[in-house]
Amino acid sequence: MKLMIINGPNLNLLGKREPEVYGSTTFEDYFAQLQQKFPEVELEYFQSNIEGELIDKIQEVGFSYDGIVLNAAAYTHTSVGIGDAVKGIETPVIEVHISNTFKREDFRHVSYISSGAKGVILGFGLQSYDLAIQSFL
Ligand code: DQA
């Protein structure tokens, strides 16, 4: 089982960024916990602040990996290009968000990813990633 976690803009700042919303754990620390928890899964992680790099990564892994866990962050609410990439690949995508985007500003209620995703998990903090991985097992 080969899974790729793809994180979008500003998620490299997890741990420092708005800790009241996103918590105080860095993604690197959390990723190490995930690797320990799911030793049977070949788990990889990619982060970029650049829309085109996220699309390139989705295309690169989207015909060979078993699953993608995608937190497109702010691009979720703006990117037709990432939404199209998700629809254009064969690998199933689970859309995740750390926060409950529906409890937040109206612009966060729109997702260009959801209609192409296999499922959506949001609002469970970093545990959203764990639940997404479990959905593939
Ligand atoms: C987020 C929610 C987005 O609205 C926001 O732009 C993010 C993170 C989340 O994981 O809760 O950067 O995707």
Side-chain angles (χ1 to χ4, degrees):
M1 171 68 58
K2 215 169 167 184
L3 301 181
M4 170 66 76
I5 297 175
I6 301 178
N7 273 343
N10 301 306
L11 293 174
N12 54 314
L13 294 181
L14 283 179
K16 295 185 203 149
R17 170 195 186 200
E18 298 180 84
E20 65 290 356
V21 180
Y22 299 112
S24 51
T25 307
T26 67
F27 198 79
E28 285 66 25
D29 285 348
Y30 184 65
F31 184 67
Q33 289 176 33
L34 288 175
Q35 284 178 307
Q36 275 188 351
K37 181 165 178 188
F38 300 104
E40 73 279 26
V41 179
E42 234 182 286
L43 207 49
E44 290 176 44
Y45 159 56
F46 175 80
Q47 189 277 331
S48 177
N49 294 322
I50 299 167
E51 186 175 12
E53 288 187 358
L54 296 166
I55 294 171
D56 283 347
K57 185 55 77 176
I58 290 166
Q59 291 185 6
E60 181 191 316
V61 302
F63 295 89
S64 53
Y65 283 49
D66 300 300
I68 296 173
V69 176
L70 174 63
N71 186 349
Y75 287 139
T76 304
H77 318 301
T78 61
S79 179
V80 174
I82 295 177
D84 281 352
V86 167
K87 290 194 180 95
I89 59 171
E90 289 169 359
T91 298
V93 173
I94 305 293
E95 175 184 353
V96 301
H97 299 285
I98 297 163
S99 63
N100 179 350
T101 48
F102 292 103
K103 267 193 188 166
R104 302 180 66 193
E105 303 94 322
D106 285 354
F107 67 85
R108 295 185 207 274
H109 300 181
V110 173
S111 169
Y112 286 89
I113 314 296
S114 303
S115 61
K118 182 180 177 196
V120 182
I121 299 173
L122 56 86
F124 293 93
L126 286 171
Q127 204 198 344
S128 296
Y129 293 88
D130 182 325
L131 295 169
I133 292 166
Q134 286 187 48
S135 78
F136 285 113
L137 303 180

